[in-house]
Amino acid sequence: MFNPSAKLKVDPRDAKLAMAHFFVAFTALAIGGLAGLLQTLVRSGKFELPAGIGYYQILTVHGVVLGLVLTTFFIMGFQLAATSKTSGTFTNKQRITGWIGFWLMTAGTVLAAVMILLNEATVLYTFYAPLQAHALYYIGLTLVIVGSWIDGAAIIMKYAEWRRKNPGQPSPLLTFMSLVNTMMWIVATIGVASTVLFQLLPWSLGFVETVNIGVSRTLFWYFGHPLVYFWLLPAYMAWYVVIPKVIGGKIFSDSLARLSFILFLLFSIPVGFHHQLMEPGIDPAWKFLQVILTFLVVIPSLMTAFSLFATFENFGRSKGATGLFGWVKKLPWGDARFVVPFIGMVAFIPAGAGGIVNASHQMNQVVHNTIWVTGHFHLTVATSVVLTFFGVSYWLIPHLTGRTLTKAMNKLGIIQAVIWSIGMTFMSGAMHAVGLLGAPRRSSYSEYGGAPQAAEWIPYQVAQAIGGSILFIGIILMIYIFINLAFFAPKGEQEFPVGEAADEAEKAPMVFENWKLWLGITVVLILFAYTIPFIDLIQNAPPGAKGYKLW
Amino acid sequence: MAKTELSRKTKTEIKASSSLKGTLASVFLLGFFLIITWVGVYLLFISRF
Amino acid sequence: MHMHKFEKAWLIFGIGSLLVFLTVLGVSAFYLGNQPPSCLATIDPEKVDTTVPFNEPGLKKVEGKDWDYELVYVASAFSYSPAEVEVPYGAKVKIIATTKDVVHGFEVAGSNINMMLEPGYISEHVTTFDKTGEYLIVCNEYCGVGHHMMSSKIKVVE
Ligand code: HEM
Ligand SMILES: [Cu+2]
Ligand SMILES: [Cu+2]
C-alpha cells in the first residue's frame, strides 16, 4: 500500500526537533562514557579518583546520563523522526508540543545534573528510599518524565490525525510502533511519577517525616521493568523495519511485527516483582505469578528472532544463496547501517539468555545484585540497544542535517562497533563470570578486610578495566562520527530507509489499532498482578522510614 | 523505471526460492543456547547451600 | 495474518522450553520449599536493638523447630552485627536479619543466601551449611559512602 502522505524526507522543521534530542543524547554519551571508564579504573584497584570525588557520585552520573538521559532523548528523537517520516510532517501545534516536551526534559536533566555535581543526590539513578536526595533532584527527574509525556503527546496527536484522514487503514508500521512504545512508557511512568510526587518529594521537603519503603520500591519497579522495554522497542523498530530496507530485502511479516509489539505492551508492565524477588513483604506466590508473566514477554522476542533470521535468509536466497547458511554471505557486510545493529542483535542472544536466568524466581538468588546483573544490562542496553542507536544515527543524523554518510565514516562506524564488541566482551564477560562467584554490583574497589574470596575477584576487575578502556575508545570514535555527521559531512541526500512487507497484499488486521481493547487488557493485567500484593503492602506496612544522607 | 523492475524481480525470486531451513536451524541453535545457559545456572543453584 | 510452519515449530519449541523452566522452578519453590526470601513479618526500625531476637545478634541453638540454629543479624551503615560467626558443619540454620537505617543487601558470597534488608521488614532464609570454609558476607545494595566496606564473615567448621 502506498501511503500518499509519506514524504521522501523528514521536514526540516521536524528534523530540527529530532536533532535537538540527539545533541543532548550524544552529550550524555560523552559524559557517561567518561564516568564509566573511571568506574572500571577505580574498581581495578590501580587508580583513585582525584579531588575527593566519590565513586558513587560518578556512578550516579553514569546511571542517570546513560540509563535515563541518553536513552530517553535518543528514543524520543528517533520516534518523532520516524513518525514524521511515515505519517507526514507534524502540524505546528504538534511540533510545538514536541518542543515543550524537549525543553522540559532538558531543564529537568540540568537540574538533576547540578544536584548530582553538588553531591546532593548521590543516591544512584534508582534513588531508593530511605536514602534521601535533595528535593530538586526529584523535581529534575520528574520534569524529565513529564517532558517525555508531552513529547509523546506529539506522536499520539499525529497518529490520531493520520487515522482520521485514512479511515479503515492500518497506520504506517513505524508510527504504529512508536505509538505502542509511547503508550507503554506513559502507563509505566505513572508508577515512578507517583512515588516521586506523592512520597519522595513531600518527604524530602520535610512535609512528612517518613516514607513507606515497600510501596515506594513497588511503584519504582512497576516502572523499572517496562523502562528496559522502552529502551529495547526502538531497537526492535530498527530491526523489523529499517534493516530489511538497508539490506535490500523485505519485512518478513508486517502483521507479526505488530503482534509482537502488542504483546510487549501487554506483558512488559505487570512483571516488576521480578526485580523484587529477594525482598521481604511480598508473598512468594505473587512473585511467582509475575515470573510467569515475565516468561510470557519472552515470546515476542522469540518471534522477533525468527522474523529477523527469515528476513536475512529470504534476502540471501533471492540473491542466489544455497545451502543451509549460504545466505549469511550475501548480507552487506560493508554497510555500517546493517553491520552495527547486526552486532547488537548478536549481543542480544547472551543478553536474553541471562535475562531468563535473572527472572527465574529462586535462581535469582545466585545473581541478584551481583555484578553479573551489570554485565547483563551492558549487553542488553549498552550493546544491543546502543549499537542499534549508533547504526540508526549513521543514516538518520545525515538525513536530518541534509548531509551524507561518507565511505570513510561508514568504515569508521564499523570499526567503532568492532571496538565496542571487543571492549564489551572483556567487560561484560568478566562481570558475568565474577558475578557468579558473588562479587557485588554498585561497589567501589574493596578488599573486604583481606577476605580470600574478594581476592579472587580482583583479576576479573582488572579485565573489566581493560574492557572499559577499549569501550572508551569506542565512545570517542562515536562522538567524532556524530560531530562529523551533524556538522561536517558533505551536503547531500541520505535515505531514511523504511522497509516494505514481503507480502504487501496481506493487510494488517485492524484489530491491532483497537487501543480501547489493548489498553484495557493492559490495565486488567496490571490490576490482576498488582492489586492484592499492593494492598498487602499498605495494610501490613511497618512504621515508615526516616530519610538518611549517608554520603 | 529500473528501480521498480528490480524490486519486482526480487519479489518473484523470493517466492521461487523461499526456503527457511536456515532460519529454522538458526533459531533452534539459539534455543539450545538459552537452554544450556539456564541449565548451567540451575545446576550452580542446586549445588550451593 | 498467517504464520510460517517453521515459525510455529519454533514457537512451540520455545514456549515449551519456557514451560519446562517454569515447572521446574514451581515444583522446586512450592513443593521443595525453595522459595526466594519473602518473609512477611515487620518491625519498628527505630526499636531494632530492643526487639527480640535482634536484641541479641549471633548464633543460637534452638529446640523443637525445623532448624537447629538461628543466626540473627542486625545491619546498619556500614556494618553487620555479628562481624564474624562460626557455624558447625551440617547445621540447619535459619538466618534472620533486618536493618536499622537504609536498605542493605545480605549476600553470602558463593552461596544462595542473598536477600534484601529493608527498614521495617525482617528477612529470613533457611539453609543447611553443608560445605566447610570461610564465607564472606557482602552488602550488595548501595547504602552510602561506606557501602563497599560493609561485610561480615561466616566460618563453617567441622
Ligand atoms: C564506556 C562505556 C561504559 C563503561 C566502561 C561502563 C562501565 C560501567 C560499570 C563499571 C558499571 C558498574 C559500576 C558498579 O556497579 O559499581 C556501570 C553501571 C551502569 N552502566 Fe555502564 N558502562 C559503559 C557504558 C554504558 C552505556 C552505554 C549505558 C547505557 C546506555 C550504561 C548504563 C549503565 C547503567 C544504567 C549502570 C548502572 C548504574 C547503577 O548501578 O546505579 N553504561 N557501567
Ligand atoms: Cu525486569
Ligand atoms: Cu551497602
Side-chain angles (χ1 to χ4, degrees):
Chain A
M1 180 202 58
F2 177 67
N3 168 21
S5 63
K7 296 210 313 182
L8 274 174
K9 263 186 83 82
V10 173
D11 185 275
R13 291 164 297 168
D14 294 351
K16 208 171 151 196
L17 174 61
M19 277 306 292
H21 287 79
F22 295 143
F23 282 119
V24 178
F26 282 92
T27 309
L29 180 70
I31 298 170
L34 179 62
L37 171 68
L38 294 176
Q39 285 151 221
T40 57
L41 293 180
V42 169
R43 289 168 49 89
S44 75
K46 313 243 180 293
F47 173 83
E48 274 174 35
L49 288 170
I53 303 171
Y55 177 82
Y56 299 104
Q57 197 177 359
I58 299 276
L59 185 57
T60 306
V61 170
H62 184 78
V64 169
V65 301
L66 293 178
L68 303 177
V69 177
L70 161 71
T71 48
T72 309
F73 277 83
F74 189 92
I75 290 166
M76 287 298 166
F78 175 47
Q79 294 184 354
L80 286 168
T83 305
S84 168
K85 162 78 185 172
T86 54
S87 290
T89 305
F90 285 109
T91 63
N92 285 340
K93 197 171 131 209
Q94 291 160 355
R95 195 177 311 107
I96 288 171
T97 310
W99 277 113
I100 295 173
F102 169 79
W103 282 114
L104 274 180
M105 295 205 310
T106 307
T109 300
V110 171
L111 201 54
V114 169
M115 286 302 122
I116 297 169
L117 294 181
L118 293 176
N119 203 19
E120 292 287 345
T122 304
V123 293
L124 307 188
Y125 81 116
T126 43
F127 50 86
Y128 296 140
L131 284 175
Q132 190 183 56
H134 195 287
L136 288 177
Y137 178 71
Y138 299 120
I139 293 176
L141 294 181
T142 307
L143 287 179
V144 174
I145 286 172
V146 172
S148 72
W149 289 345
I150 298 177
D151 241 349
I155 291 170
I156 296 174
M157 283 152 71
K158 181 90 245 167
Y159 169 83
E161 181 202 328
W162 194 94
R163 287 290 308 284
R164 251 193 334 271
K165 290 189 178 156
N166 301 270
Q169 294 295 328
S171 55
L173 187 51
L174 277 180
T175 300
F176 176 91
M177 291 170 152
S178 303
L179 181 78
V180 169
N181 202 28
T182 302
M183 289 194 297
M184 186 189 74
W185 175 247
I186 292 173
V187 176
T189 41
I190 291 171
V192 67
S194 309
T195 181
V196 170
L197 289 178
F198 301 125
Q199 294 190 285
L200 305 184
L201 197 54
W203 170 69
S204 65
L205 289 169
F207 299 155
V208 293
E209 206 191 335
T210 64
V211 70
N212 182 327
I213 299 297
V215 166
S216 177
R217 296 177 67 82
T218 302
L219 286 172
F220 182 87
W221 282 114
Y222 162 92
F223 148 83
H225 190 75
L227 169 69
V228 310
Y229 276 97
F230 172 70
W231 299 336
L232 185 62
L233 290 193
Y236 276 25
M237 284 165 65
W239 297 356
Y240 267 116
V241 187
V242 173
I243 294 295
K245 179 78 176 183
V246 166
I247 65 174
K250 297 277 175 180
I251 299 172
F252 177 62
S253 162
D254 177 289
S255 306
L256 287 175
R258 289 179 201 252
L259 175 64
S260 79
F261 267 61
I262 292 288
L263 292 176
F264 281 119
L265 173 65
L266 302 185
F267 295 116
S268 292
I269 304 172
V271 297
F273 281 174
H274 72 217
H275 292 261
Q276 299 178 278
L277 291 168
M278 301 299 112
E279 288 188 22
I282 304 169
D283 191 285
W286 287 106
K287 291 179 180 174
F288 194 69
L289 176 92
Q290 294 208 6
V291 165
I292 296 174
L293 291 170
T294 308
F295 275 56
L296 287 180
V297 82
V298 177
I299 296 169
S301 284
L302 298 180
M303 292 169 56
T304 305
F306 189 93
S307 291
L308 297 174
F309 282 122
T311 301
F312 297 151
E313 180 166 13
N314 276 337
F315 166 75
R317 291 198 186 279
S318 77
K319 293 273 173 265
T322 53
L324 199 53
F325 292 114
W327 43 276
V328 177
K329 287 200 231 79
K330 301 283 178 187
L331 295 169
W333 295 111
D335 187 338
R337 299 172 306 157
F338 163 72
V339 176
V340 178
F342 181 84
I343 296 178
M345 295 175 195
V346 173
F348 208 65
I349 296 172
I356 298 176
V357 168
N358 299 341
S360 290
H361 203 56
Q362 66 274 39
M363 269 164 79
N364 186 254
Q365 286 168 192
V366 178
V367 294
H368 176 73
N369 271 355
T370 68
I371 197 120
W372 154 289
V373 175
T374 314
H376 163 70
F377 63 73
H378 279 81
L379 288 181
T380 55
V381 66
T383 305
S384 292
V385 170
V386 158
L387 281 187
T388 302
F389 289 179
F390 293 172
V392 164
S393 304
Y394 295 151
W395 52 262
L396 183 55
I397 307 289
H399 177 90
L400 297 176
T401 54
R403 297 173 190 276
T404 54
L405 177 70
T406 57
K407 277 221 175 71
M409 283 303 133
N410 179 67
K411 196 164 171 202
L412 206 56
I414 295 176
I415 294 173
Q416 196 282 342
V418 170
I419 289 180
W420 195 272
S421 17
I422 296 170
M424 203 50 94
T425 306
F426 273 95
M427 188 175 94
S428 172
M431 285 173 163
H432 275 94
V434 73
L436 289 177
L437 299 179
R441 67 180 285 201
R442 305 184 135 178
S443 295
S444 185
Y445 178 74
S446 175
E447 291 169 10
Y448 290 104
Q453 276 176 308
E456 281 176 34
W457 300 339
I458 291 173
Y460 294 91
Q461 283 159 205
V462 173
Q464 290 165 33
I466 295 171
S469 309
I470 299 172
L471 279 165
F472 189 67
I473 299 173
I475 299 259
I476 295 172
L477 279 182
M478 186 58 226
I479 299 295
Y480 173 73
I481 301 173
F482 174 76
I483 293 176
N484 176 281
L485 294 178
F487 300 110
F488 300 110
K491 294 270 178 197
E493 296 268 316
Q494 178 75 40
E495 180 199 11
F496 187 134
V498 181
E500 287 157 24
D503 190 355
E504 285 187 55
E506 198 197 337
K507 200 177 115 179
M510 282 311 286
V511 62
F512 288 143
E513 314 267 345
N514 186 342
W515 302 113
K516 280 202 192 88
L517 176 68
W518 303 123
L519 286 176
I521 301 179
T522 306
V523 171
V524 168
L525 282 170
I526 292 169
L527 291 177
F528 171 56
Y530 270 113
T531 310
I532 296 176
F534 197 71
I535 291 176
D536 274 351
L537 279 169
I538 293 173
Q539 281 184 340
N540 304 325
K546 283 200 193 121
Y548 290 86
K549 201 179 163 218
L550 296 175
W551 64 89
Chain B
M1 230 170 75
K3 207 170 157 202
T4 25
E5 233 173 73
L6 188 75
S7 67
R8 201 171 299 135
K9 209 170 127 212
T10 318
K11 197 163 170 188
T12 40
E13 272 170 4
I14 289 174
K15 288 260 159 59
S17 58
S18 143
S19 154
L20 291 178
K21 285 188 306 227
T23 300
L24 188 69
S26 309
V27 287
F28 269 81
L29 286 176
L30 161 70
F32 292 133
F33 179 76
L34 298 181
I35 293 173
I36 290 167
T37 309
W38 191 87
V39 170
V41 180
Y42 187 72
L43 292 177
L44 194 60
F45 172 75
I46 53 177
S47 74
R48 288 176 166 182
F49 63 72
Chain C
M1 192 170 67
H2 77 277
M3 206 178 256
H4 193 281
K5 63 176 191 293
F6 286 175
E7 180 160 15
K8 281 185 194 141
W10 160 238
L11 286 181
I12 290 169
F13 173 78
I15 295 171
S17 310
L18 293 177
L19 280 175
V20 172
F21 293 171
L22 282 174
T23 311
V24 170
L25 296 172
V27 169
S28 162
F30 291 91
Y31 292 96
L32 305 178
N34 294 320
Q35 289 284 14
S38 306
C39 178
L40 299 174
T42 59
I43 183 174
D44 185 340
E46 310 269 303
K47 302 203 177 88
V48 170
D49 286 336
T50 52
T51 308
V52 180
F54 300 103
N55 54 347
E56 279 177 50
L59 189 71
K60 219 171 296 158
K61 186 115 182 76
V62 293
E63 302 292 336
K65 298 198 177 164
D66 272 353
W67 44 89
D68 315 317
Y69 293 89
E70 286 179 353
L71 177 51
V72 177
Y73 281 95
V74 175
S76 60
F78 301 101
S79 64
Y80 298 98
S81 166
E84 186 174 337
V85 155
E86 282 194 5
V87 177
Y89 169 77
K92 189 170 182 187
V93 178
K94 180 179 206 171
I95 298 176
I96 309 172
T98 192
T99 161
K100 292 205 282 188
D101 41 48
V102 294
V103 177
H104 295 283
F106 185 96
E107 176 198 323
V108 181
S111 83
N112 292 332
I113 307 166
N114 192 344
M115 49 199 188
M116 304 294 293
L117 311 182
E118 297 174 10
Y121 292 95
I122 295 169
S123 294
E124 297 179 347
H125 184 101
V126 180
T127 195
T128 303
F129 286 86
D130 56 9
K131 274 184 216 82
T132 55
E134 188 183 310
Y135 292 88
L136 172 66
I137 301 175
V138 292
C139 177
N140 62 10
E141 184 57 88
Y142 171 66
C143 51
V145 270
H147 164 58
H148 55 288
M149 314 302 280
M150 185 163 167
S151 67
S152 179
K153 214 187 281 176
I154 293 184
K155 283 186 181 156
V156 184
V157 289
E158 291 276 359

